[in-house]
Amino acid sequence: MYRPRPLSQALAGRVAVTLAAAVAACTGFLGRPPAGDGEPDDGDTASADGDADVDTDVDADTDADTDVDTDTDVDTDSDADSDADADVELPTNVVRPESIAYEGAFRLPWLGEDQGWAWGGHALTYYPDGDSGGGGDGFPGSLFGVGHDWSVHVAEVSIPAPVRSRNPGDLDTATMIQDFTDIIGPTFGYFEGPRVGLEYLPPQGDQATGKLHFSMGQHFQEEGRVPSHGWFELDLSSPRTAGLWSIGGLHVYRTNDYVFEIPAGWASVNSPGLRLATGRYRDGGNGGRGPNLYAYGPWRAGNPPSPGATVEAAPLLQYSEFTAGDDHTLEGWTLADNWVCGAWLEAGDAAAVAIVGVQGIGSSWYGFYDGTVWPDMGPGERGHHAEDYAARILLYDPSDLGRVARGEMAPWQPQPYGHRDIGEHLLHEMARDEVSLYRQLRSCAYDRARSILYVLEPFGDGTMPVVHVFRVSG
């Protein structure tokens, strides 16, 4: 974890105005919806002070008002999906932070500075049937991932055995299985700060083949409620991309980044037919003061749904937008948080919903790395900053999200029961004057059969990503 020099007394006296400065910079990002469509109302500014210690024994108040209108009208009746099974046995324990063990890392193949994996890694997913001949090292399957920021193309690589070393040169390198392919064509033009999610799921509904489900967007999307999700085939030579669709009619600042699988058992009890989770956290809290998460199943709207369709979604996590005058906030939230991906962990009789990213520690502000608060000018590029940062895996209790899905708890009530800090394993410590200091992580993938979590560090090997490997035990 990087430790900057102590902030000056002058900064301490000015932090109180940083939210007002951020509001001035970001007003209108959420497009202020009409009443009743699930977005928070305007209100007093929220505190931007963060707390590094997450309470590991959070008891959510299930008696609080749960009348949260998300305008999604999801049918969770068991008749909606043939997999629904009221007698399914779900894990009864949660994954403890200390049971997420680090195993090492591996490199991705170098294909050039302006193409391939360099400057990339915005999305990652595990495919269990990939690299059929490469399982002798204990890491079968393959990874599909997104490459360079400029193109956001998709490729497939093998998974070598991880090596524990802080020297990238000591790490084994994955091999290419399928070359980079443009799976979105002219749907998007230039990407300004891409936001991409990717997840493999076996055939659902009337589908004959498994699909790679994706979300697509970028840093600034002031147009708000626009289509952002789709799917494509595993054969990248003929991806047959379908989409784009809107998730529940929600603003894309809440939906169009990470995508990951919801286990079939949990979904059959809590969200029948909705086997995917998607969400987004936008820095500064413009999409909510914490990570968002929604269950969805686009195959229920067609095979595929019509382009531009709105597919149903059920909220699992939804904190208030940062100008709202309430306390519907992730504990320890700061303006400089950056939650980038997620995975539904299961190991033996334990489970957890993991949200991965970087959390700001202490005071946060909108301005410059030296503590200057905008509109005053300081060195470097303008952005959201904090006194310190922690590369972190937040752990949520799946039973809490089940209560949300069943309408027994408001979507802002769940809080992490614990976290696992992983900064000690990262290979690159960014200079203090780099605006992206807090974006030290970018994407993740999960091998459910072996309880292996893959977390991508974007600049672990120069401009190349490094993939870190963690094994989860019950």
Side-chain angles (χ1 to χ4, degrees), residues 203-204 206-211 303:
Q204 304 294 311
D206 295 330
Q207 295 174 344
T209 59
K211 310 293 183 188
N303 186 28

Side-chain angles (χ1 to χ4, degrees), residues 127-188:
Y127 175 47
D129 297 326
D131 191 24
S132 58
D137 58 5
F139 294 88
S142 62
L143 294 172
F144 283 84
V146 171
H148 199 291
D149 285 4
W150 290 351
S151 58
V152 197
H153 292 177
V154 175
E156 182 186 11
V157 296
S158 67
I159 304 173
V163 174
R164 293 186 67 122
S165 174
R166 297 199 60 80
N167 177 11
D170 295 337
L171 308 181
D172 288 340
T173 302
T175 57
M176 297 292 292
I177 297 176
Q178 294 191 77
D179 291 335
F180 279 100
T181 301
D182 182 2
I183 59 95
I184 58 172
T187 304
F188 284 84

Side-chain angles (χ1 to χ4, degrees), residues 14-27 29 45-46 48 284 286 322-323 335 364-368 371-377 382-384:
R14 295 167 64 192
V15 167
V17 304
T18 188
L19 276 172
V23 172
C26 306
T27 296
F29 280 178
T45 57
N286 290 291
F322 81 117
T323 59
L335 288 167
S364 61
W365 63 94
Y366 183 79
F368 301 87
T372 300
V373 177
W374 189 82
D376 291 345
M377 298 302 294
R382 192 169 72 232
H384 294 99

Side-chain angles (χ1 to χ4, degrees), residues 281 283-284 334-338 358-360 364-365 384-386 389 438:
Y281 175 81
D283 58 322
T334 76
L335 288 167
D337 286 5
N338 191 48
V358 173
Q359 188 160 33
S364 61
W365 63 94
H384 294 99
H385 298 273
Y389 305 91
Y438 58 94

Side-chain angles (χ1 to χ4, degrees), residues 31-55:
R32 295 298 178 265
D37 74 344
E39 299 289 357
D41 297 327
D42 287 341
D44 298 332
T45 57
S47 169
D49 289 339
D51 180 32
D53 297 321
V54 174
D55 184 0

Side-chain angles (χ1 to χ4, degrees), residues 122 149 152 187-196 215-223 226-228 251-253 256-257 280-283:
H122 280 282
D149 285 4
V152 197
T187 304
F188 284 84
Y190 171 74
F191 285 88
E192 189 278 320
R195 298 292 184 271
V196 189
S215 68
M216 192 73 68
Q218 57 187 340
H219 181 62
F220 286 110
Q221 289 192 275
E222 299 178 59
E223 62 271 31
V226 294
S228 56
H251 197 291
V252 290
Y253 283 170
N256 69 340
D257 195 353
R280 175 175 176 175
Y281 175 81
R282 194 185 186 283
D283 58 322

